[in-house]
Amino acid sequence: MPQSLSDFPAFKVAAFIKRQPSYSSLFVDLPARRVPLVINSSALEIVKWLDGTHTQREILDELARKYSTSHEDLNRLCCEFIGKLVSLGVVGFERRRWERDVCIPVLGTSEVYTPNSFILELTHSCPLRCMHCYLDAADGPMMDYRSAVSLLDEIVDVVGVQGIQLTGGEPLGYPYLVELIEHLEQKHTPVSIATSGYASDAVATRVLSALSGPMDLVQVSIDGFEGYHNKIRGRKDAFTRALAFIDLAICKGVKVGVATTLMSQTEAEIASLCESMRARRVSVLRFGVLLQEGRATSSHLGTSWSEGSMRPLIERLKSKFDTDDFRIEALETHDSSTIDHACGAGIKMMVIDPDFNARPCPMLMCKLGNVIDEPLMAVVRKTNTLMKGVSTPCEATCGQCSNFSACRGCIAAALANRDSTSNCPWFEMQEKRIQRLLDVVA
């Protein structure tokens, strides 16, 4: 970092500030991902001045006028913070004012929590009949294209997000998928596609060719090897098509993830799948547990895995298979480190279905509102009210319950499993708050 206070610091990469009620984040685009950095009020002020038109000395003078802190302390704090941004490769210096506009937009609001990610279910149609589909997707509605574009504009330009996931049903069957991808690419917004990979070569080629961003990802669902996968998916060619889609994506330079639902697979079978996907140059393999929703209930699909047994499994797999180019993860992480709203359902993420109904998360079938009938921010405010004070099943409340390993940390799992026990301590404690959600079950 240059020592001269007469240099002009500014962001070299796309970045934006996102305000939330109890904190602010600086989102910066690193080579492979968009990263949120939680920042305090003084760091927020510094970021606003990193526009290429102010020298470090001018930034220090402005901070000195605002805060009653010595110039020496401000210089140390300012240089430390800017130095961190320089080390990440997101801020640089020029000897003269920058010619391009590098003003950092400020999105979000300090009034309510707004999600960092949105999942758009573009369609509930699907050519497969997966035994564990929580949507029971078959022949279903499709999202209106023009309304989808308007919604994405509001999400990206007003709310501010880490990324957008486009899914279904089967999103490869949505006729305007390429157009939506291209629209998001123009807005420099990371896109992920959650798919079975079940599509013609022509459709797969068009979609994968549109994914041009360095942070884009396709996540392909694979439950095991050919016989097992095809049985779960209800199509004898599901596995070969999924592998063909993966191979084509990697050939085109698109990052690939694989998602696996843990059901009756043995640990040895799971380990073999890890080895196979790593050899195929998949970047990440994510595991999730089966939730008794949708077709999983009607097909009486059981599982030998729970949230409690999955976590140590993932650690064992990570120690064996993780490399610089391949990693094992959980599909969902229940983290409330920066908010006071349970697992973040509806607060850190929000799902929009083909009819533009909003849900807190993919598995929680609660209609929060319709973003066509009312403004998106009105739905967000309502969600904040509905989710406030709702806690997830934890050791202190549910440690003695036989269902605890299946429900731990997940509101949706707790609601799905509560009727399987005669006494659900979590529901008894949360009943008044949860009833607000049950009243809006879609």
Side-chain angles (χ1 to χ4, degrees), residues 112-115 341 344-351 358-361 364 366-369 371 374 376-390 436-437 440:
V112 292
Y113 290 100
T114 53
H341 293 83
I347 307 300
K348 284 191 171 182
M349 77 158 58
M350 185 174 285
V351 180
R359 304 200 310 274
C361 79
L364 202 50
C366 304
K367 181 179 175 181
L368 302 169
V371 296
E374 53 188 318
L376 173 61
M377 288 305 299
V379 174
V380 169
R381 287 186 175 88
K382 185 192 303 181
T383 304
N384 274 247
T385 301
L386 286 170
M387 301 303 296
K388 188 172 180 61
V390 178
R436 299 183 307 218
L437 289 176
V440 291

Short mmCIF file of all heavy atoms in Angstrom, two decimals, residues 112-115 341 344-351 358-361 364 366-369 371 374 376-390 436-437 440:
data_model
loop_
_atom_site.label_atom_id
_atom_site.label_comp_id
_atom_site.label_asym_id
_atom_site.label_seq_id
_atom_site.Cartn_x
_atom_site.Cartn_y
_atom_site.Cartn_z
N VAL A 112 -35.67 -2.72 8.03
CA VAL A 112 -36.01 -4.15 8.11
C VAL A 112 -34.87 -4.95 7.50
O VAL A 112 -34.11 -4.45 6.66
CB VAL A 112 -37.32 -4.49 7.37
CG1 VAL A 112 -38.52 -3.89 8.08
CG2 VAL A 112 -37.27 -4.03 5.91
N TYR A 113 -34.76 -6.22 7.90
CA TYR A 113 -33.78 -7.12 7.30
C TYR A 113 -34.26 -7.52 5.91
O TYR A 113 -35.42 -7.89 5.72
CB TYR A 113 -33.59 -8.37 8.16
CG TYR A 113 -32.88 -8.11 9.45
CD1 TYR A 113 -33.59 -7.99 10.65
CD2 TYR A 113 -31.50 -7.99 9.48
CE1 TYR A 113 -32.92 -7.74 11.85
CE2 TYR A 113 -30.83 -7.74 10.67
CZ TYR A 113 -31.55 -7.62 11.85
OH TYR A 113 -30.90 -7.36 13.02
N THR A 114 -33.36 -7.43 4.94
CA THR A 114 -33.68 -7.85 3.58
C THR A 114 -32.79 -9.03 3.19
O THR A 114 -31.62 -9.07 3.57
CB THR A 114 -33.48 -6.69 2.58
OG1 THR A 114 -32.15 -6.17 2.73
CG2 THR A 114 -34.49 -5.58 2.83
N PRO A 115 -33.32 -10.00 2.45
CA PRO A 115 -32.55 -11.21 2.13
C PRO A 115 -31.29 -10.93 1.32
O PRO A 115 -31.27 -10.02 0.50
CB PRO A 115 -33.55 -12.05 1.31
CG PRO A 115 -34.90 -11.55 1.73
CD PRO A 115 -34.71 -10.08 1.97
N HIS A 341 -32.97 -13.71 14.02
CA HIS A 341 -34.13 -14.35 13.42
C HIS A 341 -33.82 -15.81 13.10
O HIS A 341 -33.66 -16.18 11.93
CB HIS A 341 -34.57 -13.62 12.16
CG HIS A 341 -35.11 -12.25 12.39
ND1 HIS A 341 -34.30 -11.16 12.52
CD2 HIS A 341 -36.38 -11.79 12.52
CE1 HIS A 341 -35.04 -10.07 12.69
NE2 HIS A 341 -36.30 -10.43 12.70
N GLY A 344 -32.57 -17.78 9.67
CA GLY A 344 -32.46 -16.84 8.56
C GLY A 344 -33.50 -17.06 7.48
O GLY A 344 -33.53 -16.32 6.49
N ALA A 345 -34.38 -18.06 7.64
CA ALA A 345 -35.44 -18.30 6.66
C ALA A 345 -36.32 -17.06 6.55
O ALA A 345 -36.82 -16.54 7.54
CB ALA A 345 -36.29 -19.50 7.08
N GLY A 346 -36.49 -16.59 5.31
CA GLY A 346 -37.30 -15.40 5.08
C GLY A 346 -36.58 -14.10 5.35
O GLY A 346 -37.04 -13.04 4.94
N ILE A 347 -35.43 -14.19 6.03
CA ILE A 347 -34.68 -12.99 6.39
C ILE A 347 -33.38 -12.95 5.60
O ILE A 347 -33.03 -11.96 4.97
CB ILE A 347 -34.37 -12.96 7.90
CG1 ILE A 347 -35.67 -13.14 8.71
CG2 ILE A 347 -33.69 -11.66 8.29
CD1 ILE A 347 -36.71 -12.07 8.47
N LYS A 348 -32.62 -14.04 5.62
CA LYS A 348 -31.41 -14.12 4.81
C LYS A 348 -31.71 -14.64 3.41
O LYS A 348 -30.97 -14.37 2.47
CB LYS A 348 -30.37 -15.01 5.48
CG LYS A 348 -29.67 -14.35 6.65
CD LYS A 348 -28.48 -15.19 7.10
CE LYS A 348 -27.65 -14.43 8.12
NZ LYS A 348 -26.45 -15.19 8.52
N MET A 349 -32.78 -15.40 3.27
CA MET A 349 -33.17 -15.90 1.95
C MET A 349 -34.67 -15.80 1.79
O MET A 349 -35.42 -15.74 2.77
CB MET A 349 -32.72 -17.34 1.74
CG MET A 349 -33.59 -18.35 2.45
SD MET A 349 -33.50 -20.02 1.76
CE MET A 349 -31.77 -20.39 1.91
N MET A 350 -35.13 -15.76 0.53
CA MET A 350 -36.55 -15.77 0.24
C MET A 350 -36.77 -16.50 -1.07
O MET A 350 -35.96 -16.41 -2.00
CB MET A 350 -37.11 -14.35 0.16
CG MET A 350 -38.62 -14.28 -0.04
SD MET A 350 -39.28 -12.57 0.06
CE MET A 350 -39.20 -12.30 1.85
N VAL A 351 -37.86 -17.27 -1.15
CA VAL A 351 -38.21 -18.04 -2.33
C VAL A 351 -39.44 -17.40 -2.99
O VAL A 351 -40.39 -17.03 -2.30
CB VAL A 351 -38.51 -19.50 -1.96
CG1 VAL A 351 -38.90 -20.31 -3.20
CG2 VAL A 351 -37.33 -20.14 -1.26
N ALA A 358 -44.36 -15.54 -2.18
CA ALA A 358 -43.08 -15.59 -1.46
C ALA A 358 -43.16 -16.59 -0.32
O ALA A 358 -44.17 -16.67 0.39
CB ALA A 358 -42.72 -14.21 -0.92
N ARG A 359 -42.06 -17.37 -0.14
CA ARG A 359 -41.93 -18.30 0.98
C ARG A 359 -40.63 -18.01 1.70
O ARG A 359 -39.67 -17.49 1.11
CB ARG A 359 -41.92 -19.76 0.50
CG ARG A 359 -43.11 -20.18 -0.31
CD ARG A 359 -43.28 -21.71 -0.32
NE ARG A 359 -42.09 -22.46 -0.66
CZ ARG A 359 -41.71 -22.74 -1.91
NH1 ARG A 359 -42.40 -22.31 -2.94
NH2 ARG A 359 -40.62 -23.48 -2.13
N PRO A 360 -40.53 -18.40 3.00
CA PRO A 360 -39.28 -18.13 3.76
C PRO A 360 -38.09 -18.93 3.28
O PRO A 360 -36.96 -18.46 3.32
CB PRO A 360 -39.65 -18.51 5.20
CG PRO A 360 -41.14 -18.60 5.23
CD PRO A 360 -41.57 -18.96 3.86
N CYS A 361 -38.30 -20.17 2.85
CA CYS A 361 -37.22 -21.03 2.37
C CYS A 361 -37.85 -22.09 1.49
O CYS A 361 -39.07 -22.24 1.47
CB CYS A 361 -36.42 -21.63 3.53
SG CYS A 361 -37.20 -23.06 4.32
N LEU A 364 -40.19 -24.53 3.57
CA LEU A 364 -41.20 -23.99 4.48
C LEU A 364 -42.37 -23.48 3.66
O LEU A 364 -42.30 -22.40 3.05
CB LEU A 364 -40.60 -22.89 5.34
CG LEU A 364 -41.27 -22.53 6.67
CD1 LEU A 364 -41.52 -23.76 7.52
CD2 LEU A 364 -40.41 -21.54 7.43
N CYS A 366 -45.05 -21.73 3.50
CA CYS A 366 -45.85 -20.66 4.06
C CYS A 366 -45.89 -19.50 3.07
O CYS A 366 -44.84 -19.03 2.62
CB CYS A 366 -45.26 -20.16 5.38
SG CYS A 366 -45.06 -21.45 6.62
N LYS A 367 -47.07 -19.06 2.74
CA LYS A 367 -47.22 -17.95 1.81
C LYS A 367 -47.12 -16.64 2.56
O LYS A 367 -47.99 -16.27 3.34
CB LYS A 367 -48.56 -18.04 1.07
CG LYS A 367 -48.78 -16.93 0.06
CD LYS A 367 -50.11 -17.10 -0.65
CE LYS A 367 -50.40 -15.93 -1.58
NZ LYS A 367 -51.69 -16.06 -2.27
N LEU A 368 -46.03 -15.91 2.32
CA LEU A 368 -45.78 -14.65 3.02
C LEU A 368 -46.47 -13.47 2.36
O LEU A 368 -46.66 -12.42 2.99
CB LEU A 368 -44.27 -14.38 3.06
CG LEU A 368 -43.41 -15.45 3.72
CD1 LEU A 368 -41.94 -15.18 3.45
CD2 LEU A 368 -43.69 -15.54 5.21
N GLY A 369 -46.83 -13.63 1.10
CA GLY A 369 -47.44 -12.56 0.33
C GLY A 369 -47.14 -12.78 -1.13
O GLY A 369 -46.39 -13.69 -1.50
N VAL A 371 -45.69 -10.91 -4.55
CA VAL A 371 -44.91 -9.73 -4.91
C VAL A 371 -45.42 -9.05 -6.18
O VAL A 371 -44.85 -8.04 -6.61
CB VAL A 371 -43.41 -10.08 -5.06
CG1 VAL A 371 -42.83 -10.53 -3.73
CG2 VAL A 371 -43.20 -11.14 -6.13
N GLU A 374 -48.56 -6.97 -4.16
CA GLU A 374 -48.06 -5.95 -3.23
C GLU A 374 -46.57 -5.75 -3.44
O GLU A 374 -45.89 -6.63 -3.97
CB GLU A 374 -48.36 -6.36 -1.78
CG GLU A 374 -47.87 -7.75 -1.40
CD GLU A 374 -48.36 -8.18 -0.02
OE1 GLU A 374 -48.34 -7.35 0.89
OE2 GLU A 374 -48.77 -9.35 0.11
N LEU A 376 -42.58 -5.66 -3.18
CA LEU A 376 -41.64 -6.61 -2.58
C LEU A 376 -41.26 -6.19 -1.17
O LEU A 376 -41.23 -7.03 -0.26
CB LEU A 376 -40.39 -6.70 -3.45
CG LEU A 376 -39.23 -7.53 -2.90
CD1 LEU A 376 -39.63 -8.98 -2.70
CD2 LEU A 376 -38.00 -7.43 -3.81
N MET A 377 -41.00 -4.91 -0.95
CA MET A 377 -40.58 -4.47 0.38
C MET A 377 -41.69 -4.62 1.40
O MET A 377 -41.43 -4.80 2.59
CB MET A 377 -40.07 -3.03 0.34
CG MET A 377 -38.72 -2.87 -0.35
SD MET A 377 -37.43 -3.93 0.37
CE MET A 377 -37.37 -3.30 2.05
N ALA A 378 -42.95 -4.55 0.96
CA ALA A 378 -44.06 -4.79 1.88
C ALA A 378 -44.07 -6.25 2.33
O ALA A 378 -44.32 -6.56 3.51
CB ALA A 378 -45.38 -4.43 1.21
N VAL A 379 -43.77 -7.16 1.40
CA VAL A 379 -43.68 -8.58 1.75
C VAL A 379 -42.51 -8.82 2.69
O VAL A 379 -42.60 -9.60 3.64
CB VAL A 379 -43.55 -9.44 0.47
CG1 VAL A 379 -43.33 -10.91 0.82
CG2 VAL A 379 -44.79 -9.28 -0.40
N VAL A 380 -41.39 -8.14 2.43
CA VAL A 380 -40.21 -8.27 3.29
C VAL A 380 -40.54 -7.80 4.71
O VAL A 380 -40.15 -8.45 5.69
CB VAL A 380 -39.03 -7.48 2.70
CG1 VAL A 380 -37.88 -7.38 3.71
CG2 VAL A 380 -38.53 -8.15 1.42
N ARG A 381 -41.23 -6.68 4.82
CA ARG A 381 -41.59 -6.17 6.16
C ARG A 381 -42.50 -7.15 6.89
O ARG A 381 -42.34 -7.40 8.09
CB ARG A 381 -42.27 -4.81 6.03
CG ARG A 381 -41.33 -3.68 5.68
CD ARG A 381 -42.04 -2.33 5.71
NE ARG A 381 -41.10 -1.25 5.48
CZ ARG A 381 -40.76 -0.80 4.29
NH1 ARG A 381 -41.32 -1.34 3.19
NH2 ARG A 381 -39.89 0.18 4.15
N LYS A 382 -43.46 -7.72 6.16
CA LYS A 382 -44.37 -8.70 6.76
C LYS A 382 -43.59 -9.93 7.23
O LYS A 382 -43.85 -10.48 8.31
CB LYS A 382 -45.43 -9.11 5.73
CG LYS A 382 -46.51 -10.05 6.27
CD LYS A 382 -47.34 -10.63 5.14
CE LYS A 382 -47.98 -9.58 4.29
NZ LYS A 382 -48.80 -10.17 3.20
N THR A 383 -42.61 -10.34 6.45
CA THR A 383 -41.79 -11.50 6.80
C THR A 383 -41.00 -11.25 8.07
O THR A 383 -40.87 -12.14 8.92
CB THR A 383 -40.84 -11.84 5.64
OG1 THR A 383 -41.59 -12.05 4.46
CG2 THR A 383 -40.02 -13.08 5.96
N ASN A 384 -40.45 -10.05 8.20
CA ASN A 384 -39.73 -9.70 9.41
C ASN A 384 -40.62 -9.85 10.64
O ASN A 384 -40.19 -10.36 11.68
CB ASN A 384 -39.21 -8.26 9.33
CG ASN A 384 -37.86 -8.14 8.66
OD1 ASN A 384 -36.85 -7.79 9.28
ND2 ASN A 384 -37.82 -8.45 7.36
N THR A 385 -41.86 -9.44 10.52
CA THR A 385 -42.81 -9.55 11.63
C THR A 385 -43.13 -11.00 11.93
O THR A 385 -43.15 -11.44 13.09
CB THR A 385 -44.10 -8.78 11.31
OG1 THR A 385 -43.79 -7.41 11.09
CG2 THR A 385 -45.10 -8.89 12.45
N LEU A 386 -43.39 -11.80 10.88
CA LEU A 386 -43.76 -13.20 11.06
C LEU A 386 -42.64 -14.02 11.68
O LEU A 386 -42.88 -14.89 12.52
CB LEU A 386 -44.15 -13.82 9.72
CG LEU A 386 -45.51 -13.43 9.13
CD1 LEU A 386 -45.63 -13.92 7.70
CD2 LEU A 386 -46.64 -13.99 9.99
N MET A 387 -41.39 -13.74 11.29
CA MET A 387 -40.26 -14.56 11.73
C MET A 387 -39.64 -14.06 13.03
O MET A 387 -38.84 -14.78 13.64
CB MET A 387 -39.19 -14.60 10.65
CG MET A 387 -39.63 -15.16 9.31
SD MET A 387 -40.31 -16.83 9.40
CE MET A 387 -38.89 -17.76 9.95
N LYS A 388 -39.97 -12.86 13.45
CA LYS A 388 -39.35 -12.30 14.64
C LYS A 388 -39.65 -13.15 15.87
O LYS A 388 -40.80 -13.47 16.17
CB LYS A 388 -39.82 -10.87 14.88
CG LYS A 388 -39.06 -10.15 15.98
CD LYS A 388 -39.43 -8.69 16.05
CE LYS A 388 -38.66 -7.98 17.16
NZ LYS A 388 -37.21 -8.02 16.95
N GLY A 389 -38.61 -13.51 16.58
CA GLY A 389 -38.77 -14.27 17.82
C GLY A 389 -38.88 -15.76 17.63
O GLY A 389 -38.87 -16.52 18.60
N VAL A 390 -38.99 -16.24 16.38
CA VAL A 390 -39.06 -17.68 16.13
C VAL A 390 -37.66 -18.27 16.25
O VAL A 390 -36.72 -17.82 15.60
CB VAL A 390 -39.63 -17.98 14.72
CG1 VAL A 390 -39.63 -19.48 14.47
CG2 VAL A 390 -41.03 -17.41 14.58
N ARG A 436 -48.44 -17.96 13.68
CA ARG A 436 -48.49 -16.92 12.66
C ARG A 436 -48.07 -17.47 11.31
O ARG A 436 -48.60 -17.07 10.27
CB ARG A 436 -47.54 -15.76 13.06
CG ARG A 436 -47.91 -15.09 14.37
CD ARG A 436 -47.00 -13.91 14.67
NE ARG A 436 -45.59 -14.25 14.61
CZ ARG A 436 -44.68 -13.76 15.45
NH1 ARG A 436 -45.02 -12.91 16.38
NH2 ARG A 436 -43.40 -14.10 15.33
N LEU A 437 -47.10 -18.41 11.33
CA LEU A 437 -46.68 -19.03 10.07
C LEU A 437 -47.71 -20.04 9.58
O LEU A 437 -48.00 -20.11 8.39
CB LEU A 437 -45.33 -19.73 10.26
CG LEU A 437 -44.10 -18.83 10.45
CD1 LEU A 437 -42.88 -19.69 10.73
CD2 LEU A 437 -43.87 -17.98 9.22
N VAL A 440 -50.51 -18.88 7.48
CA VAL A 440 -50.28 -18.48 6.09
C VAL A 440 -49.70 -19.63 5.27
O VAL A 440 -49.01 -19.43 4.29
CB VAL A 440 -49.32 -17.25 6.00
CG1 VAL A 440 -50.00 -16.03 6.54
CG2 VAL A 440 -48.00 -17.52 6.71
#
